[in-house]
Amino acid sequence: MEAAIIAIGSELLGTSRLDTNSLLLTRCLEKYGVAVVKKSVVGDHVESIAVELEHTLPSCDLVLMTGGVGPTEDDVTKEAVARALGLVLVLDQGVLDHIAALFERRGLRMPEVNRKQAEIFAGQRVIMNLRGTAPGFHLEVALAAKRRHVWIFPGVPFELEGMIEGHLEAWLKEVTEQSIYRRTVKITGMTESAVDERLAPFYALHSGDPITILAHRGEIHLHLRARGIADDAYTRLTAMETELRDIFAERIFGLDEDLLEAVVGRLLASAGETVATAESCTGGLLASRITDVSGSSAYFLGGVVAYSREAKRALLDVDHDATEAHGEVSDEVALQMANGARQRFSSTYGIGITGIAGPTGGTATKPVGTVHIAVGAAEVSEQKRFLLAGSRELVKHYATQLALDMLRRVIVRGRRGEARG
């Protein structure tokens, strides 16, 4: 079964309101294995709504509509649906009495405009609204020798939730036997196109279980989906994850809700190891990300923001000759910063970051976006130069992402070396 969601409301086409109702509906549909193939937002205009429904219904088994069933002049969803499907609206006394009773319980007189909400589609199912005045509807339509279903809900999220729980879920349980299960595999240190290139053989093997690639601020998220009974679906998801780990190896840092800083924290905590930071161009952002994780005091000992040359020398023992010979933005200085932080805080690892975040300060040999990152430990060190693109804020974020990932990989490789020994 495939579904489409149509959110109705001119306010959703502006900048002040987001369509969150479609997320509520999608969560419910996925629970019962119904794939959402289309979402659209339409303003409060009869012709526009009717055209959207006429265009969507032939290609979907199920269309869910939210909004535009209130009492005001711009609530025109029912009129549009009636026009599109050739249905008739009639006043229903039982619905009218229900609405009037709601106002009476609140000590109010029902305004005359609310009579409009008591108009129903003749011969179709009405869904009573226990949380508000606007009823919902479940319409069955014969189209191209096939039964299509149209559900119409109020746009108020609280009222929509009540109808989902009380009516839509019960119907879906009757007509579906499968659910959609998801897993997200998270990669860092690669571009979206590079990830896609490596996935070519994987696509060919898994055309039945879709995979979606999404780029997200220094990370690539691979969204896996499997439809079916829980045990079978999870078995397929696990098999796909294993294949992806074979393809991307240590580039995969986590799953689902994992954050890179939390993954690094777990690695450190599990071995009783610690880290300290020395930052220049990132201005403390790396330390902030690390300490955003609850319990980080177990492995984060402290950090130094050494923005000036003098601060690097005084606080981190960066050598005068290194800054003179190579400049503050260099591998040599980054490594000395990392080791300076490690020694100052007596930590297992130190991370050093120095660079040019922009938009000013770049040169021909060290353009804006040049960042040097180093990880230092007692018996191992790693440093690398990066050229990052984007705004100042993005350069700073990407630099911390790369620093966390460099630390993660140093830890993982070190432990693999211990295991081999």
Side-chain angles (χ1 to χ4, degrees):
M1 181 180 289
E2 295 184 333
I5 299 172
I6 304 175
I8 298 163
S10 296
E11 71 279 4
L12 300 176
L13 297 172
T15 59
S16 60
R17 294 286 295 275
L18 292 175
D19 166 32
T20 57
N21 285 346
S22 64
L23 302 180
L24 296 174
L25 291 167
T26 299
R27 188 178 299 115
C28 174
L29 293 171
E30 288 197 345
K31 182 178 178 181
Y32 296 96
V34 180
V36 177
V37 297
K38 179 182 180 182
K39 291 183 181 180
S40 57
V41 177
V42 184
D44 298 304
H45 183 263
V46 172
E47 186 64 25
S48 298
I49 299 170
V51 168
E52 183 65 21
L53 180 57
E54 290 169 353
H55 177 74
T56 302
L57 195 56
S59 60
C60 293
D61 307 289
L62 172 63
V63 176
L64 307 176
M65 307 177 72
T66 68
V69 290
T72 60
E73 188 70 23
D74 61 348
D75 290 313
V76 294
T77 296
K78 289 190 292 187
E79 290 86 339
V81 172
R83 178 183 299 188
L85 302 182
L87 300 176
V88 176
L89 288 168
V90 297
L91 185 71
D92 184 278
Q93 188 60 47
V95 175
L96 183 61
D97 291 343
H98 171 75
I99 296 171
L102 287 176
F103 278 95
E104 186 175 342
R105 284 199 295 271
R106 298 168 186 167
L108 301 171
R109 180 188 65 82
M110 186 190 80
E112 188 64 21
V113 294
N114 283 91
R115 289 178 63 87
K116 175 182 178 180
Q117 293 181 294
E119 294 179 351
I120 68 169
F121 298 96
Q124 299 288 344
R125 179 186 171 195
V126 180
I127 303 171
M128 298 306 291
N129 187 349
L130 302 181
R131 299 182 177 185
T133 58
F137 303 91
H138 176 192
L139 315 179
E140 292 191 49
V141 182
L143 190 65
K146 188 174 181 180
R147 302 298 292 181
R148 312 281 180 173
H149 296 268
V150 179
W151 288 71
I152 303 171
F153 299 104
V156 179
F158 177 67
E159 298 176 21
L160 170 63
E161 288 172 354
M163 290 190 177
I164 289 174
E165 294 168 4
H167 299 277
L168 180 60
E169 284 210 52
W171 180 75
L172 288 170
K173 284 180 183 177
E174 293 179 2
V175 300
T176 62
E177 297 179 352
Q178 298 181 330
S179 295
I180 294 176
Y181 299 89
R182 293 182 179 269
R183 184 168 300 171
T184 302
V185 176
K186 296 184 174 181
I187 294 171
T188 192
M190 295 182 68
T191 64
E192 185 176 11
S193 56
V195 169
D196 186 66
E197 188 174 57
R198 286 202 199 177
L199 281 173
F202 184 90
Y203 289 141
L205 290 173
H206 296 283
S207 58
D209 288 316
I211 179 172
T212 302
I213 303 179
L214 292 178
H216 180 75
R217 288 173 64 89
E219 300 176 4
I220 305 298
H221 296 178
L222 305 181
H223 292 266
L224 310 178
R225 287 177 290 166
R227 180 184 298 175
I229 299 170
D231 289 345
D232 292 341
Y234 281 122
T235 297
R236 295 204 306 278
L237 287 174
T238 300
M240 285 190 283
E241 180 195 330
T242 300
E243 291 177 45
L244 291 172
R245 289 189 182 277
D246 289 339
I247 294 170
F248 295 103
E250 64 181 24
R251 290 294 186 182
I252 295 175
F253 72 83
L255 302 174
D256 299 328
E257 302 304 317
D258 280 339
L259 298 176
L260 182 55
E261 49 265 47
V263 170
V264 170
R266 289 199 297 269
L267 286 171
L268 293 168
S270 66
E273 296 176 332
T274 56
V275 67
T277 57
E279 302 179 66
S280 181
C281 65
T282 49
L285 181 59
L286 177 60
S288 178
R289 286 186 64 178
I290 293 172
T291 56
D292 280 343
V293 180
S294 178
S296 55
S297 59
Y299 50 83
F300 181 71
L301 299 187
V304 173
V305 177
Y307 219 63
S308 68
R309 178 173 302 193
E310 292 73 18
K312 291 178 177 68
R313 294 173 179 170
L315 299 175
L316 298 167
D317 295 323
V318 172
D319 185 67
H320 175 272
D321 292 340
T323 57
E324 292 301 316
H326 306 286
E328 290 181 71
V329 179
S330 62
D331 277 348
E332 292 77 8
V333 169
L335 184 57
Q336 288 195 20
M337 290 173 65
N339 286 326
R342 183 172 63 85
Q343 292 162 8
R344 177 168 288 275
F345 291 98
S346 298
S347 59
T348 312
Y349 301 96
I351 305 177
I353 305 177
T354 180
I356 305 167
T360 60
T363 66
T365 56
K366 296 180 181 181
V368 168
T370 300
V371 177
H372 292 261
I373 301 172
V375 172
E379 298 180 358
V380 65
S381 65
E382 184 170 325
Q383 63 272 348
K384 189 172 181 180
R385 175 184 183 271
F386 299 92
L387 185 58
L388 307 178
S391 66
R392 184 178 180 86
E393 187 270 334
L394 281 177
V395 169
K396 292 172 67 175
H397 176 81
Y398 291 151
T400 62
Q401 184 79 6
L402 291 163
L404 286 167
D405 189 51
M406 187 181 291
L407 174 60
R408 179 184 68 88
R409 295 170 71 184
V410 165
I411 296 171
V412 170
R413 289 172 182 171
R415 293 183 187 175
R416 286 175 181 167
E418 291 171 5
R420 286 193 298 269

